Amino acid sequence: VPKVTQEHVDARRAEILEGARQAFAKYGYEGATVARLEEATGLSRGAIFHYFRGKKDLFSAVAVDVNRRYIGLMTTGGLAEALRALATEDPALVAVLIETQLRLRRDEDFVQRMEETMREVAPAFETWFEDQRASGAFRTDLEWPHLARFATIVTNGLALRVGTGDETDVETVVQLLDDALRPQPERGAVRKRRGARA
Amino acid sequence: VPKVTQEHVDARRAEILEGARQAFAKYGYEGATVARLEEATGLSRGAIFHYFRGKKDLFSAVAVDVNRRYIGLMTTGGLAEALRALATEDPALVAVLIETQLRLRRDEDFVQRMEETMREVAPAFETWFEDQRASGAFRTDLEWPHLARFATIVTNGLALRVGTGDETDVETVVQLLDDALRPQPERGAVRKRRGARA
Amino acid sequence: VPKVTQEHVDARRAEILEGARQAFAKYGYEGATVARLEEATGLSRGAIFHYFRGKKDLFSAVAVDVNRRYIGLMTTGGLAEALRALATEDPALVAVLIETQLRLRRDEDFVQRMEETMREVAPAFETWFEDQRASGAFRTDLEWPHLARFATIVTNGLALRVGTGDETDVETVVQLLDDALRPQPERGAVRKRRGARA
Amino acid sequence: VPKVTQEHVDARRAEILEGARQAFAKYGYEGATVARLEEATGLSRGAIFHYFRGKKDLFSAVAVDVNRRYIGLMTTGGLAEALRALATEDPALVAVLIETQLRLRRDEDFVQRMEETMREVAPAFETWFEDQRASGAFRTDLEWPHLARFATIVTNGLALRVGTGDETDVETVVQLLDDALRPQPERGAVRKRRGARA
DNA sequence: ACATACGGGACGACCCGTTCAT
DNA sequence: ATGAACGGGTCGTCCCGTATGT
């Protein structure tokens, strides 16, 4: 199938990304052998590596894709919606987020590749959080990055849990996260801090 | 040293576990090749596989060890203390926790091995959470497993972050977690739930 | 350009041969991947394999071309000229000669392809050597094929050396080769053969 | 076979080197796949790469070995003996010499590895050539390195030829080489330089 | 108890050449 | 006539675990 249209190329790329996403999600980065990628995409090595330089590149593309998708979900439907989607709709999406974080710890040039993407979506992130603070939905005693960070932490922690078989009640997690982020009553006045509480 | 005492055996095992922990933390499960395990422990293949059936077994032992240690930390010094330790003191400990979670998703017989351990330490876990609820430190409108789960989620999420280079302010995370777990003011009276809040 | 002239075809072939020669010279036969051939020729796979059946065919063509060129050089300017050209002018030409020899040892059907070419240029070769002998420049106590063989051996050996970085003094080699090929004084009269001389 | 004596290790290494030498000779460097190396040595990948870091290392070792052996042959039995051995006795030895030269052109760190060896054997080389000059066997109008270089060139060139099926008469080559290296009558007096001689 | 030798499976990368749409 | 898409083979490397000693 030579000399094809741009649509065809895009479609193929998307096709491969989709299959790769499933494979990475199911087996993890190392476990997603090229053979499994072939199987998942229904394409041959030749085809896959014609579109992506190598496995690492392919994974980067998947990671970028997934992260973008998840952030889009959040800025559209809110944290609750994003967490629900995370936990129920698309388990594949989840695992890739984790792998992403893990690789960020060890793979130097992967870090750089992701940083670009993150810089790109960061503004939307900020806007959304500031809006939430402005509308009174989120607390204002902490800067937005702290809130964002916490939300991310919970997201990743939840993602890590999902699929373990342990049925996690997402709604409760949503509620607890919400309770942490919403405006708080004045501390210290109501409660007295004591020993080993938290 | 043909005739060895039990102490010697235990010491060797502990020695290997320590080295293996570092290796697994530094390189991840797949990245921790036997060669690296040899290097990290200062022992040879022969020694390592004399004390542990195989790499998987070794990792299981490390995972159990680390998890037990972390739970001990929590039941002693509280969540805040545990999180601080997580973020600052021992990054190696952290990474293993994550690997543990990841393997729980895919490795069937690893799941079983961990379940035993978890069953073993679960009582202490429960007691501690119930104590917190009884003392008024933790909210009572949710059952303790929900609180425990959330705490675990935050822990894992934080662990995932630590070491990425991204300097996360642990104290803020501790505060937010605390705000989520402590008794909450009556909902709905103060705020009206609306659209995309969380 | 649907309707092409013969000249165009020839030009393209020559173009490809030139690029391929450089690639083969630079990377060796196995190292000259199709990608590199594309790069060196500036043409695509499609173009290249439209004019040549495959990589092996392409190499054969290059080899024939180069050998013919070198022999032409020799019959025109003499051995000295050819050796000088070899060592200084065109290192790419050199390397291909070697690859040719190497493939002659292992590749059966490549042998046949080259034999034809050799048969074709052999007469010129013979004529030239016989002329040298007739003019008193070359010795007559050995048949011309022996002289030709020795010249070829020196040529190949020199080619092998060139490009190693080791600066070889071509003029000395030329002189030594000349001394071997020119008419010799009666042996034995002047020197007495002894032990480990050569 | 664990914890073995040094002799065993040496024997195994020699065993592998021998097999590898044959494989490299028969198939060339690229053609000598690991599978073929296994076959030739009768050992498994595991064994082979336990003793040598990788294929490149293995080849280096073989090259060093062969070169040392050949130089030994020459300093003992003279050039004639060495050339004869080259052409008849051990064709495997031959091909490796060529591969060595070829790799010297392209592989940077291989160059360095060989340089050490060469430096090591160079003294013997020099001594032998100087002895030949002193005894009147070799000409004195050229420095010994020039003679050595020419001898090497002829050696390599001959090696390149051997095995091509083309039956080369070694004795004639020996004679021609000898004629080039032995003391020459005064040039110019006897012969007049003319046009395209050599 | 501990170390080394070794087997052999598997993996990621790459590469060549055919097919087929322009 | 050109060149992109793609198949599928193969290669070197690495790695785990067992066998075999000291």
PDB file of all heavy atoms in Angstrom, chain C residues 65-93:
ATOM      1  N   ASP C  65      32.459  -2.370 -12.895  1.00  0.00           N
ATOM      2  CA  ASP C  65      32.789  -1.001 -13.282  1.00  0.00           C
ATOM      3  C   ASP C  65      34.160  -0.598 -12.748  1.00  0.00           C
ATOM      4  O   ASP C  65      35.029  -0.125 -13.502  1.00  0.00           O
ATOM      5  CB  ASP C  65      31.711  -0.077 -12.708  1.00  0.00           C
ATOM      6  CG  ASP C  65      31.830   1.319 -13.264  1.00  0.00           C
ATOM      7  OD1 ASP C  65      31.982   1.449 -14.487  1.00  0.00           O
ATOM      8  OD2 ASP C  65      31.774   2.276 -12.470  1.00  0.00           O
ATOM      9  N   VAL C  66      34.343  -0.791 -11.460  1.00  0.00           N
ATOM     10  CA  VAL C  66      35.578  -0.383 -10.816  1.00  0.00           C
ATOM     11  C   VAL C  66      36.773  -1.145 -11.374  1.00  0.00           C
ATOM     12  O   VAL C  66      37.815  -0.562 -11.672  1.00  0.00           O
ATOM     13  CB  VAL C  66      35.493  -0.590  -9.293  1.00  0.00           C
ATOM     14  CG1 VAL C  66      36.879  -0.516  -8.669  1.00  0.00           C
ATOM     15  CG2 VAL C  66      34.582   0.448  -8.687  1.00  0.00           C
ATOM     16  N   ASN C  67      36.617  -2.439 -11.527  1.00  0.00           N
ATOM     17  CA  ASN C  67      37.723  -3.243 -12.035  1.00  0.00           C
ATOM     18  C   ASN C  67      38.107  -2.820 -13.447  1.00  0.00           C
ATOM     19  O   ASN C  67      39.286  -2.700 -13.765  1.00  0.00           O
ATOM     20  CB  ASN C  67      37.355  -4.729 -11.998  1.00  0.00           C
ATOM     21  CG  ASN C  67      37.632  -5.326 -10.637  1.00  0.00           C
ATOM     22  OD1 ASN C  67      38.746  -5.736 -10.353  1.00  0.00           O
ATOM     23  ND2 ASN C  67      36.631  -5.325  -9.764  1.00  0.00           N
ATOM     24  N   ARG C  68      37.066  -2.596 -14.223  1.00  0.00           N
ATOM     25  CA  ARG C  68      37.332  -2.171 -15.588  1.00  0.00           C
ATOM     26  C   ARG C  68      38.100  -0.843 -15.574  1.00  0.00           C
ATOM     27  O   ARG C  68      39.076  -0.655 -16.292  1.00  0.00           O
ATOM     28  CB  ARG C  68      36.009  -1.987 -16.333  1.00  0.00           C
ATOM     29  CG  ARG C  68      36.086  -2.432 -17.799  1.00  0.00           C
ATOM     30  CD  ARG C  68      34.908  -1.911 -18.574  1.00  0.00           C
ATOM     31  NE  ARG C  68      33.618  -2.358 -18.047  1.00  0.00           N
ATOM     32  CZ  ARG C  68      32.971  -3.436 -18.508  1.00  0.00           C
ATOM     33  NH1 ARG C  68      33.492  -4.167 -19.458  1.00  0.00           N
ATOM     34  NH2 ARG C  68      31.800  -3.765 -18.014  1.00  0.00           N
ATOM     35  N   ARG C  69      37.653   0.038 -14.735  1.00  0.00           N
ATOM     36  CA  ARG C  69      38.280   1.342 -14.647  1.00  0.00           C
ATOM     37  C   ARG C  69      39.749   1.225 -14.254  1.00  0.00           C
ATOM     38  O   ARG C  69      40.622   1.845 -14.834  1.00  0.00           O
ATOM     39  CB  ARG C  69      37.546   2.194 -13.608  1.00  0.00           C
ATOM     40  CG  ARG C  69      37.718   3.672 -13.846  1.00  0.00           C
ATOM     41  CD  ARG C  69      37.100   4.522 -12.760  1.00  0.00           C
ATOM     42  NE  ARG C  69      35.673   4.236 -12.544  1.00  0.00           N
ATOM     43  CZ  ARG C  69      34.891   5.032 -11.809  1.00  0.00           C
ATOM     44  NH1 ARG C  69      35.394   6.105 -11.235  1.00  0.00           N
ATOM     45  NH2 ARG C  69      33.626   4.728 -11.636  1.00  0.00           N
ATOM     46  N   TYR C  70      40.018   0.397 -13.262  1.00  0.00           N
ATOM     47  CA  TYR C  70      41.378   0.251 -12.777  1.00  0.00           C
ATOM     48  C   TYR C  70      42.301  -0.345 -13.840  1.00  0.00           C
ATOM     49  O   TYR C  70      43.432   0.097 -14.047  1.00  0.00           O
ATOM     50  CB  TYR C  70      41.425  -0.595 -11.514  1.00  0.00           C
ATOM     51  CG  TYR C  70      42.831  -0.842 -11.071  1.00  0.00           C
ATOM     52  CD1 TYR C  70      43.589   0.194 -10.541  1.00  0.00           C
ATOM     53  CD2 TYR C  70      43.430  -2.085 -11.238  1.00  0.00           C
ATOM     54  CE1 TYR C  70      44.903   0.004 -10.176  1.00  0.00           C
ATOM     55  CE2 TYR C  70      44.736  -2.291 -10.876  1.00  0.00           C
ATOM     56  CZ  TYR C  70      45.475  -1.248 -10.344  1.00  0.00           C
ATOM     57  OH  TYR C  70      46.768  -1.430  -9.982  1.00  0.00           O
ATOM     58  N   ILE C  71      41.760  -1.357 -14.533  1.00  0.00           N
ATOM     59  CA  ILE C  71      42.566  -1.987 -15.574  1.00  0.00           C
ATOM     60  C   ILE C  71      42.864  -0.998 -16.690  1.00  0.00           C
ATOM     61  O   ILE C  71      43.981  -0.944 -17.219  1.00  0.00           O
ATOM     62  CB  ILE C  71      41.849  -3.250 -16.116  1.00  0.00           C
ATOM     63  CG1 ILE C  71      41.906  -4.342 -15.048  1.00  0.00           C
ATOM     64  CG2 ILE C  71      42.497  -3.727 -17.411  1.00  0.00           C
ATOM     65  CD1 ILE C  71      41.114  -5.581 -15.382  1.00  0.00           C
ATOM     66  N   GLY C  72      41.878  -0.193 -16.996  1.00  0.00           N
ATOM     67  CA  GLY C  72      42.083   0.855 -17.988  1.00  0.00           C
ATOM     68  C   GLY C  72      43.207   1.787 -17.568  1.00  0.00           C
ATOM     69  O   GLY C  72      44.091   2.136 -18.354  1.00  0.00           O
ATOM     70  N   LEU C  73      43.186   2.129 -16.310  1.00  0.00           N
ATOM     71  CA  LEU C  73      44.197   3.018 -15.757  1.00  0.00           C
ATOM     72  C   LEU C  73      45.593   2.433 -15.947  1.00  0.00           C
ATOM     73  O   LEU C  73      46.548   3.123 -16.319  1.00  0.00           O
ATOM     74  CB  LEU C  73      43.928   3.213 -14.257  1.00  0.00           C
ATOM     75  CG  LEU C  73      44.307   4.563 -13.650  1.00  0.00           C
ATOM     76  CD1 LEU C  73      43.561   5.678 -14.360  1.00  0.00           C
ATOM     77  CD2 LEU C  73      43.999   4.586 -12.168  1.00  0.00           C
ATOM     78  N   MET C  74      45.683   1.129 -15.708  1.00  0.00           N
ATOM     79  CA  MET C  74      46.968   0.471 -15.776  1.00  0.00           C
ATOM     80  C   MET C  74      47.478   0.381 -17.224  1.00  0.00           C
ATOM     81  O   MET C  74      48.639   0.692 -17.494  1.00  0.00           O
ATOM     82  CB  MET C  74      46.862  -0.921 -15.189  1.00  0.00           C
ATOM     83  CG  MET C  74      48.207  -1.517 -14.832  1.00  0.00           C
ATOM     84  SD  MET C  74      48.049  -3.293 -14.656  1.00  0.00           S
ATOM     85  CE  MET C  74      47.669  -3.743 -16.359  1.00  0.00           C
ATOM     86  N   THR C  75      46.603  -0.031 -18.104  1.00  0.00           N
ATOM     87  CA  THR C  75      47.050  -0.191 -19.496  1.00  0.00           C
ATOM     88  C   THR C  75      47.348   1.154 -20.135  1.00  0.00           C
ATOM     89  O   THR C  75      47.998   1.225 -21.168  1.00  0.00           O
ATOM     90  CB  THR C  75      45.993  -0.936 -20.340  1.00  0.00           C
ATOM     91  OG1 THR C  75      44.736  -0.281 -20.192  1.00  0.00           O
ATOM     92  CG2 THR C  75      45.863  -2.374 -19.907  1.00  0.00           C
ATOM     93  N   THR C  76      46.881   2.205 -19.544  1.00  0.00           N
ATOM     94  CA  THR C  76      47.168   3.531 -20.094  1.00  0.00           C
ATOM     95  C   THR C  76      48.430   4.130 -19.480  1.00  0.00           C
ATOM     96  O   THR C  76      49.369   4.488 -20.180  1.00  0.00           O
ATOM     97  CB  THR C  76      45.997   4.499 -19.818  1.00  0.00           C
ATOM     98  OG1 THR C  76      44.797   3.883 -20.238  1.00  0.00           O
ATOM     99  CG2 THR C  76      46.218   5.807 -20.558  1.00  0.00           C
ATOM    100  N   GLY C  77      48.406   4.221 -18.160  1.00  0.00           N
ATOM    101  CA  GLY C  77      49.507   4.933 -17.497  1.00  0.00           C
ATOM    102  C   GLY C  77      50.537   4.042 -16.850  1.00  0.00           C
ATOM    103  O   GLY C  77      51.469   4.515 -16.210  1.00  0.00           O
ATOM    104  N   GLY C  78      50.374   2.748 -16.946  1.00  0.00           N
ATOM    105  CA  GLY C  78      51.327   1.842 -16.325  1.00  0.00           C
ATOM    106  C   GLY C  78      50.985   1.535 -14.880  1.00  0.00           C
ATOM    107  O   GLY C  78      50.113   2.160 -14.276  1.00  0.00           O
ATOM    108  N   LEU C  79      51.687   0.568 -14.334  1.00  0.00           N
ATOM    109  CA  LEU C  79      51.436   0.132 -12.963  1.00  0.00           C
ATOM    110  C   LEU C  79      51.649   1.261 -11.972  1.00  0.00           C
ATOM    111  O   LEU C  79      50.846   1.467 -11.054  1.00  0.00           O
ATOM    112  CB  LEU C  79      52.377  -1.018 -12.607  1.00  0.00           C
ATOM    113  CG  LEU C  79      51.919  -2.411 -13.010  1.00  0.00           C
ATOM    114  CD1 LEU C  79      53.001  -3.430 -12.701  1.00  0.00           C
ATOM    115  CD2 LEU C  79      50.642  -2.760 -12.269  1.00  0.00           C
ATOM    116  N   ALA C  80      52.747   1.979 -12.180  1.00  0.00           N
ATOM    117  CA  ALA C  80      53.064   3.050 -11.243  1.00  0.00           C
ATOM    118  C   ALA C  80      51.902   4.023 -11.130  1.00  0.00           C
ATOM    119  O   ALA C  80      51.467   4.381 -10.026  1.00  0.00           O
ATOM    120  CB  ALA C  80      54.325   3.780 -11.698  1.00  0.00           C
ATOM    121  N   GLU C  81      51.389   4.406 -12.287  1.00  0.00           N
ATOM    122  CA  GLU C  81      50.282   5.354 -12.302  1.00  0.00           C
ATOM    123  C   GLU C  81      49.060   4.798 -11.589  1.00  0.00           C
ATOM    124  O   GLU C  81      48.401   5.467 -10.785  1.00  0.00           O
ATOM    125  CB  GLU C  81      49.929   5.665 -13.765  1.00  0.00           C
ATOM    126  CG  GLU C  81      49.432   7.073 -13.981  1.00  0.00           C
ATOM    127  CD  GLU C  81      50.349   8.066 -13.301  1.00  0.00           C
ATOM    128  OE1 GLU C  81      51.550   8.149 -13.656  1.00  0.00           O
ATOM    129  OE2 GLU C  81      49.861   8.742 -12.382  1.00  0.00           O
ATOM    130  N   ALA C  82      48.786   3.541 -11.889  1.00  0.00           N
ATOM    131  CA  ALA C  82      47.618   2.898 -11.292  1.00  0.00           C
ATOM    132  C   ALA C  82      47.756   2.832  -9.776  1.00  0.00           C
ATOM    133  O   ALA C  82      46.824   3.140  -9.032  1.00  0.00           O
ATOM    134  CB  ALA C  82      47.445   1.496 -11.868  1.00  0.00           C
ATOM    135  N   LEU C  83      48.919   2.443  -9.318  1.00  0.00           N
ATOM    136  CA  LEU C  83      49.136   2.340  -7.875  1.00  0.00           C
ATOM    137  C   LEU C  83      49.011   3.703  -7.206  1.00  0.00           C
ATOM    138  O   LEU C  83      48.426   3.829  -6.130  1.00  0.00           O
ATOM    139  CB  LEU C  83      50.518   1.750  -7.575  1.00  0.00           C
ATOM    140  CG  LEU C  83      50.672   0.255  -7.831  1.00  0.00           C
ATOM    141  CD1 LEU C  83      52.032  -0.233  -7.336  1.00  0.00           C
ATOM    142  CD2 LEU C  83      49.582  -0.537  -7.128  1.00  0.00           C
ATOM    143  N   ARG C  84      49.553   4.701  -7.867  1.00  0.00           N
ATOM    144  CA  ARG C  84      49.466   6.043  -7.301  1.00  0.00           C
ATOM    145  C   ARG C  84      48.010   6.484  -7.192  1.00  0.00           C
ATOM    146  O   ARG C  84      47.571   7.016  -6.167  1.00  0.00           O
ATOM    147  CB  ARG C  84      50.241   7.038  -8.167  1.00  0.00           C
ATOM    148  CG  ARG C  84      51.691   7.165  -7.745  1.00  0.00           C
ATOM    149  CD  ARG C  84      52.438   8.211  -8.533  1.00  0.00           C
ATOM    150  NE  ARG C  84      53.832   7.778  -8.723  1.00  0.00           N
ATOM    151  CZ  ARG C  84      54.342   7.375  -9.871  1.00  0.00           C
ATOM    152  NH1 ARG C  84      53.597   7.379 -10.964  1.00  0.00           N
ATOM    153  NH2 ARG C  84      55.592   6.972  -9.926  1.00  0.00           N
ATOM    154  N   ALA C  85      47.282   6.252  -8.256  1.00  0.00           N
ATOM    155  CA  ALA C  85      45.860   6.613  -8.245  1.00  0.00           C
ATOM    156  C   ALA C  85      45.153   5.895  -7.108  1.00  0.00           C
ATOM    157  O   ALA C  85      44.352   6.461  -6.363  1.00  0.00           O
ATOM    158  CB  ALA C  85      45.223   6.229  -9.580  1.00  0.00           C
ATOM    159  N   LEU C  86      45.492   4.636  -6.983  1.00  0.00           N
ATOM    160  CA  LEU C  86      44.892   3.789  -5.955  1.00  0.00           C
ATOM    161  C   LEU C  86      45.091   4.394  -4.579  1.00  0.00           C
ATOM    162  O   LEU C  86      44.171   4.430  -3.747  1.00  0.00           O
ATOM    163  CB  LEU C  86      45.591   2.440  -6.012  1.00  0.00           C
ATOM    164  CG  LEU C  86      44.915   1.263  -5.366  1.00  0.00           C
ATOM    165  CD1 LEU C  86      43.841   0.728  -6.287  1.00  0.00           C
ATOM    166  CD2 LEU C  86      45.931   0.184  -5.077  1.00  0.00           C
ATOM    167  N   ALA C  87      46.318   4.822  -4.360  1.00  0.00           N
ATOM    168  CA  ALA C  87      46.667   5.235  -3.002  1.00  0.00           C
ATOM    169  C   ALA C  87      46.241   6.655  -2.675  1.00  0.00           C
ATOM    170  O   ALA C  87      45.994   6.980  -1.519  1.00  0.00           O
ATOM    171  CB  ALA C  87      48.167   5.104  -2.799  1.00  0.00           C
ATOM    172  N   THR C  88      46.136   7.460  -3.695  1.00  0.00           N
ATOM    173  CA  THR C  88      45.873   8.858  -3.390  1.00  0.00           C
ATOM    174  C   THR C  88      44.532   9.362  -3.901  1.00  0.00           C
ATOM    175  O   THR C  88      43.718   9.875  -3.145  1.00  0.00           O
ATOM    176  CB  THR C  88      46.960   9.739  -4.025  1.00  0.00           C
ATOM    177  OG1 THR C  88      46.935   9.533  -5.448  1.00  0.00           O
ATOM    178  CG2 THR C  88      48.336   9.352  -3.515  1.00  0.00           C
ATOM    179  N   GLU C  89      44.317   9.157  -5.177  1.00  0.00           N
ATOM    180  CA  GLU C  89      43.163   9.778  -5.790  1.00  0.00           C
ATOM    181  C   GLU C  89      41.828   9.304  -5.247  1.00  0.00           C
ATOM    182  O   GLU C  89      41.000  10.075  -4.815  1.00  0.00           O
ATOM    183  CB  GLU C  89      43.193   9.537  -7.302  1.00  0.00           C
ATOM    184  CG  GLU C  89      44.174  10.413  -8.037  1.00  0.00           C
ATOM    185  CD  GLU C  89      43.917  10.316  -9.521  1.00  0.00           C
ATOM    186  OE1 GLU C  89      42.926  10.882  -9.986  1.00  0.00           O
ATOM    187  OE2 GLU C  89      44.705   9.645 -10.211  1.00  0.00           O
ATOM    188  N   ASP C  90      41.603   8.020  -5.308  1.00  0.00           N
ATOM    189  CA  ASP C  90      40.259   7.533  -5.067  1.00  0.00           C
ATOM    190  C   ASP C  90      40.220   6.353  -4.096  1.00  0.00           C
ATOM    191  O   ASP C  90      40.225   5.198  -4.496  1.00  0.00           O
ATOM    192  CB  ASP C  90      39.654   7.113  -6.407  1.00  0.00           C
ATOM    193  CG  ASP C  90      38.160   7.008  -6.291  1.00  0.00           C
ATOM    194  OD1 ASP C  90      37.655   7.020  -5.154  1.00  0.00           O
ATOM    195  OD2 ASP C  90      37.505   6.910  -7.328  1.00  0.00           O
ATOM    196  N   PRO C  91      40.183   6.655  -2.843  1.00  0.00           N
ATOM    197  CA  PRO C  91      40.158   5.577  -1.858  1.00  0.00           C
ATOM    198  C   PRO C  91      38.904   4.718  -1.979  1.00  0.00           C
ATOM    199  O   PRO C  91      38.904   3.535  -1.641  1.00  0.00           O
ATOM    200  CB  PRO C  91      40.167   6.315  -0.525  1.00  0.00           C
ATOM    201  CG  PRO C  91      40.242   7.758  -0.818  1.00  0.00           C
ATOM    202  CD  PRO C  91      40.068   7.969  -2.271  1.00  0.00           C
ATOM    203  N   ALA C  92      37.846   5.316  -2.461  1.00  0.00           N
ATOM    204  CA  ALA C  92      36.590   4.574  -2.593  1.00  0.00           C
ATOM    205  C   ALA C  92      36.759   3.444  -3.601  1.00  0.00           C
ATOM    206  O   ALA C  92      36.295   2.325  -3.400  1.00  0.00           O
ATOM    207  CB  ALA C  92      35.473   5.507  -3.043  1.00  0.00           C
ATOM    208  N   LEU C  93      37.469   3.769  -4.659  1.00  0.00           N
ATOM    209  CA  LEU C  93      37.740   2.780  -5.684  1.00  0.00           C
ATOM    210  C   LEU C  93      38.447   1.580  -5.082  1.00  0.00           C
ATOM    211  O   LEU C  93      38.170   0.429  -5.389  1.00  0.00           O
ATOM    212  CB  LEU C  93      38.620   3.438  -6.745  1.00  0.00           C
ATOM    213  CG  LEU C  93      38.770   2.819  -8.095  1.00  0.00           C
ATOM    214  CD1 LEU C  93      38.856   3.919  -9.150  1.00  0.00           C
ATOM    215  CD2 LEU C  93      40.026   1.972  -8.148  1.00  0.00           C
TER     216      LEU C  93
END
